[in-house]
């Protein structure tokens, strides 16, 4: 006779929203199982290679929707393994945003002051550090110099990269084989393991159902480790508390697929999706002007030609994070690197006579790739993303063996969102085209729609049950015992990189989740400790019984 | 050239190559090359291995290349008729189009509101990916073999141990004033 496996706390997903509760609940004495749909890679398994089937495609996820493509992690550690580790706090005004609903969208209990202590904790745990101009890669320096030339400010952005180990190889999206990037494999996840949590890779959760005693059954399928289109055995685990942290592109899909068993979801599940107002511009620099106008030169004589060198975004300009500007017109501009494979196709040719994003003129633009500088806008979008009916499994119909799929998200940018993008595009052009420094064009939205590496808000916290799926303790309305702690819980666009805010909110949610677990008879306490931190990324335990 | 392949294979290969060559054009591989139009200097998507990438089992496109080639050729015939062009019957219709006409037809098929846009975008994405990142090859091997795309973008070679490191990476000096409302942790206030 098979008896169904059971645990106290079942965590879906192992990114920021999953790893942080997994650690605290395990440390507090609960039995914790983490189900993660992606594989578990670490250290030298992170390849510096673009070949299909290398870590780049195994741990990365690219879901094309209708008007919005979402990029994210697909591995133990989630987005923290593929991300760029740029970790600013969200500016104060963000928490006062009203968005399209005409009243404050954040819960009354949260503002920058009340979140700062939780930001402090994550900053210490990862850790996140400030660094100086002498550690800013050429691309960040070039952006800073252009900002200064235009009378603007620019800041090196705090980051979770250990610069003593970093080689500025810009392979961050394939995972960091030097363990310089302080992913969750170096802090919360090993600490959760040390406290007895189990992490099961290649387990994709499909839906939830209820047990007779008010707990939940979590239904999963095993994912083939090479061809993710192939699903193997299915299984079920019972839990008293379920933490859904599959990321803002997947969490609402799992919940919506559970409706036949669990009953209706709150109306905000799968609505109000935000792409963090993301928008990219590519500038192509005139190397001579970089030297003569900005006075920059590298050892060896080149002025810039260093697109490939660095570690993602390192410098941002925050001049438009001005609380006095109208909502939807505030944004940050951040220098960015996006590798080949995905990072050239959408760049457009200035003054094209033919097609802007392919063809002969585009090829000429590609010849100057090392003189490219990509600028990332994070603005205030209008939470206009809506998820359609869930696909058969997972959160996408997978097209390729790995990475590429087609998902049910629909996003039609409103006039407010487009106004912010237009203002930012004009600003980037104003800064970078001065005195013939560069030519600038935004990435086209005509090919795969808008795109985001910062999916947010598809199952958000709030005080109003109509426009928020979760209460301010992150508990899913109508479904007690289910908590959501990932990016989908963030109410809206943040105008800066979101991971520190996602993580701070997850930290903030823990005492409440611990209380809910206690009420359900789980012997767990909240200690408020932080992970020790390691210098070698966590590997799967050698053998599991 | 493709002498050992069947007619259907030849149609598929030449048509998909001509598509990829319209996305990232290249020089002709041999003087009477028909699939590659020769609209740009140096190797383009075809020389970079677009067909190999699309036929790679991992891409998910191998099985649909033949129907896609068929659909593209149907569009090409229709387009030629609209334009009043007579097409050389010895090659597939899309291949028979001049580079400028191939480009205009793809602009039409890849336009935001075209009902088939998504399938052509997928093909374009992989054609470009073959060029800018040689995703069907190991990156070291591709660089060692002088992959035309990686060469065109000027992608640096790794160190002798196959890893990339840039010990010199910074201008090393302050280059802009900091935002006046920066907090002690380095974040916006
Ligand atoms: C290229 C890139 C660069 C980025 N750079 C930065 C940066 O510099 N700074 C920053 O702040 N943010 C950055 N981000 C964003 C950041 O990574 C995300 O905001 C963050 O990881 C989101 O955390 P999360 O917990 O919401 O979800 P994730 O970290 O995405 O974790 C969700 C996890 O759930 C898993 N999962 C999904 N569905 C299922 C299922 N059905 N069953 C089981 N598991 C499932 C996924 O595989 C994933 O591991 C970047 C993202 C990308 C893609």
């Amino acid at each position: 006779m098979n008896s169904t496996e059971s645990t106290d706390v079942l965590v879906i997903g192992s990114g920021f929203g999953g790893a942080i509760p997994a650690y605290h609940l395990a440390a507090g004495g609960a039995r914790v199982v983490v189900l993660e749909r992606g594989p578990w890679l670490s250290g030298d398994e992170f390849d510096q290679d673009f070949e299909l089937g290398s870590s780049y495609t195994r741990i990365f996820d690219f879901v094309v929707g209708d008007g919005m493509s979402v990029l994210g992690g697909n591995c133990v550690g989630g987005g923290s393994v593929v991300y760029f580790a740029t970790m600013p706090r969200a500016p104060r005004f963000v928490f006062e945003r009203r968005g399209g609903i005409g009243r404050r969208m954040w819960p009354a209990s949260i503002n920058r002051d009340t979140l700062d202590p939780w930001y402090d904790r994550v900053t210490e745990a990862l850790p996140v550090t400030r660094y100086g101009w002498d550690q800013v890669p050429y691309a960040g320096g070039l952006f800073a110099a252009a900002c200064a030339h235009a009378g603007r400010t620019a800041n090196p952005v705090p980051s979770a990269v250990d610069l003593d180990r970093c080689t500025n190889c810009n392979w961050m999206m394939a995972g960091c084989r030097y363990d310089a990037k302080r992913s969750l494999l170096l802090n919360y996840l090993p600490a959760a393991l040390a406290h007895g949590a189990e992490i099961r890779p290649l387990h994709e959760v499909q839906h939830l159902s209820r047990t007779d005693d008010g707990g939940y059954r979590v239904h999963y399928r095993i994912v083939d480790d090479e061809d993710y289109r192939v699903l193997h055995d299915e299984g079920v685990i019972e839990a008293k508390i379920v933490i859904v942290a599959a990321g803002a592109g997947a969490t609402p899909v799992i919940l919506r697929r559970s409706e036949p068993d669990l009953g209706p979801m709150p109306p905000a599940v799968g609505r109000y999706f935000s792409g963090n107002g993301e928008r990219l511009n590519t500038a192509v620099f005139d190397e001579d002007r970089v030297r003569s106008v900005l006075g920059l030169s590298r050892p060896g004589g080149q002025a810039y030609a260093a697109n490939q060198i660095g570690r993602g975004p390192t410098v941002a300009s925050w001049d438009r994070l001005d609380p006095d500007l109208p909502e939807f017109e505030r944004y940050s501009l951040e220098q960015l690197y996006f590798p080949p494979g995905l990072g050239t196709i959408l760049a457009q040719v200035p003054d094209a006579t033919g097609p802007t994003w392919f063809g002969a003129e585009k090829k000429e633009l590609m010849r100057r790739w090392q003189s490219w500088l990509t600028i990332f806008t994070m603005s205030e979008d209008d939470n206009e993303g809506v998820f359609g009916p869930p696909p058969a499994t997972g959160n996408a119909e997978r097209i390729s063996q790995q990475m590429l799929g087609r998902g049910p998200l629909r996003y039609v940018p409103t006039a407010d969102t487009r106004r912010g993008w237009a203002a930012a595009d004009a600003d980037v052009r104003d800064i970078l085209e001065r005195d013939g420094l560069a030519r600038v064009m935004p990435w086209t939205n005509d090919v795969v729609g808008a795109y985001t590496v910062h999916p947010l808000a598809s199952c958000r916290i709030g005080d109003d049950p109509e426009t928020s799926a979760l209460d301010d303790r992150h508990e899913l309305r109508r479904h007690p015992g289910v908590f959501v702690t990932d990016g989908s819980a963030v109410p809206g666009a943040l105008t800066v990189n979101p991971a520190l805010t996602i993580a701070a909110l997850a930290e903030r949610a823990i005492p409440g989740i611990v209380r809910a677990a206690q009420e359900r008879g789980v012997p767990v306490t909240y200690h408020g400790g932080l992970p020790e931190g390691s210098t070698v990324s966590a590997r799967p335990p050698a053998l599991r019984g | 050239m493709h002498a050992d392949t069947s007619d259907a294979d030849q149609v598929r290969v030449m048509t998909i190559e001509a598509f990829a060559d319209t996305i990232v054009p290249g020089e002709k591989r041999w003087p009477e090359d028909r699939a590659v139009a020769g609209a740009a200097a140096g190797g383009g998507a075809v020389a970079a291995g677009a067909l190999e990438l699309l036929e790679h089992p991992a891409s998910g496109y191998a099985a649909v290349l033949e129907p896609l080639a068929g659909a593209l050729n149907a569009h090409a015939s229709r387009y030629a008729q609209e334009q009043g062009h007579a097409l050389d019957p010895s090659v597939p219709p899309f291949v028979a189009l001049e580079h400028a006409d191939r480009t205009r037809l793809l602009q039409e098929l890849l336009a935001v509101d075209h009902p088939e846009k998504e399938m052509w975008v997928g093909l374009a994405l992989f054609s470009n990916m073959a060029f800018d990142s040689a995703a069907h090859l190991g990156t070291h091997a591709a660089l060692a073999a002088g992959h035309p795309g990686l060469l065109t973008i000027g992608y640096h070679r790794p160190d002798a141990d196959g890893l990339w490191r840039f010990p010199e990476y910074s201008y090393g000096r302050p280059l802009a004033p900091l935002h006046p409302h920066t907090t002690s942790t380095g974040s916006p206030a």
Side-chain angles (χ1 to χ4, degrees), chain A residues 92-99 101-114 327 460-464 467 491:
Chain A
R92 181 169 295 272
F93 70 79
V94 154
F95 301 93
E96 309 306 322
R97 286 194 58 204
R98 300 164 73 87
I101 60 174
R103 59 181 170 286
R104 197 172 183 273
M105 30 188 219
W106 285 75
S109 55
I110 304 180
N111 58 37
R112 173 70 181 265
D113 291 329
T114 59
E327 187 167 5
R460 61 186 183 171
I461 49 173
D463 293 331
D464 165 24
T467 58

Side-chain angles (χ1 to χ4, degrees), chain A residues 502-544:
Chain A
I502 296 169
L505 286 172
E507 277 281 352
R508 178 186 166 278
I510 303 298
I513 298 175
V514 167
R515 267 195 307 280
Q518 288 166 342
E519 282 160 16
R520 287 165 175 262
V522 178
V524 58
T525 47
Y526 179 63
H527 293 300
L530 286 174
E532 287 278 307
S534 144
T535 54
V536 181
S537 47
R539 288 175 190 278
L543 276 178
R544 209 171 7 229

Side-chain angles (χ1 to χ4, degrees), chain A residues 12-18 35-38 60 71-75 77-80 82-87 173 203-206 245-248 250 254 313 338 394 453-454 486-488 497-500 502:
Chain A
I12 304 171
S14 60
F16 290 94
L35 300 183
E36 164 56 53
R37 74 173 167 186
F60 205 83
L71 289 79
N74 178 75
C75 57
S80 82
V82 301
Y83 87 149
F84 295 134
T86 300
M87 296 293 255
M173 269 169 57
H203 283 58
E204 185 175 71
V205 172
Q206 306 302 340
I254 296 170
F338 225 82
V453 296
H454 297 162
D486 59 12
S488 51
N497 321 66
L500 196 72
I502 296 169

Side-chain angles (χ1 to χ4, degrees), chain A residues 50-87:
Chain A
F50 295 119
E51 187 173 12
L52 299 185
S54 63
S55 66
Y56 188 41
T57 62
R58 290 173 73 193
I59 66 176
F60 205 83
D61 199 53
F62 178 6
V63 176
V64 180
D66 180 1
M68 175 64 76
S69 293
V70 177
L71 289 79
N74 178 75
C75 57
V76 172
S80 82
V81 176
V82 301
Y83 87 149
F84 295 134
T86 300
M87 296 293 255

